Amino acid sequence: KLRRADEYGEIFDTAAFELAPEPDDSTNLAHPGGSDAGSDGGGSDDEFGGQPTKAIREERRVAINCQLAFVDLEGRADGTSASNILVQLMPKRVVIVHGSAAATQALADHCRDPQVPVTKEIYTPGLGETLNVASGLNAYRLRLTDALLRQVRMRAVGASALGFVAGRVRYASDDGVPVLDVDTGGARDAVWQPATTVGDARLSALRAVLAAHSIAAHFDAEGTLVCGPNVAVQRRPGGTGSGSAGIRLLGTPSPEYYAIRSIVYGHFVSV
């Protein structure tokens, strides 16, 4: 909305701020001459308010007594918000940078508190200090041969492809990168690898999938997804090996059980 303004500031309608005039008996008083003050329109308030006026501009130096305060509007969180965010993120390690030395140390001491459910691997590097934050996982670079890839059953998991690989590593590459090739020694058949299930292990998502197949399910007091009188789905602790998605199906063998099992298996990806 465009606002009109002059040298004095914004122009606004003063009538919006005026109060309605209250009835006053003095307006009906007569002048000494005996004539009514309001009989001919003379002496009304509008006449006195309509006198010509003018504005006089004058420059003066005014001393302003004030105090300048710094207001932090850089979008940075305070200490309480930062600590709450760290607890919700559940990071494996925390590196605190920027900020004053006192604020950095205060946040680090808060995270190192045994009562705070956050990682105790806290780093507070100084200015220009180099810090190695490489992960401690055993990650290696391998090159897969075409013969091995032809034997791998790849399953789509989101935007990626996942598959179980069993082979033998050899170091005959010229660039020093190990090559994973087909194991021709028969060790692949001797080692049994259980199926690994991956996917969204949230029971709420599985409940929506069951509802799409017209199967009513609800949660009990322990968080178990109850699917009818004979079938239940639980979160399995650990999540390693077979069924690593963290789902356990309970129930007695019945047509309803096998139907729900097929839906559950179809919700995840097994490799």
Side-chain angles (χ1 to χ4, degrees), residues 9-69:
E10 182 181 350
I11 300 176
F12 57 90
D13 186 9
T14 58
F17 301 92
E18 293 180 356
L19 298 177
E22 297 181 357
D24 191 356
D25 296 338
S26 61
T27 56
N28 298 325
L29 296 179
H31 287 281
S35 62
D36 191 355
S39 60
D40 58 353
S44 63
D45 294 339
D46 295 338
E47 180 179 356
F48 290 104
Q51 296 294 332
T53 59
K54 66 177 179 178
I56 301 177
R57 181 176 300 177
E58 181 180 358
E59 294 184 1
R60 290 188 179 183
R61 183 177 296 273
V62 180
I64 301 178
N65 297 326
C66 64
Q67 182 180 4
L68 182 62

Side-chain angles (χ1 to χ4, degrees), residues 210 215 227 231 233 249 256-265:
L210 293 173
I215 297 178
C227 311
V231 184
V233 183
L249 189 62
E256 182 184 8
Y257 173 84
Y258 291 113
I260 295 176
R261 189 184 68 170
S262 299
I263 297 174
V264 172
Y265 285 177

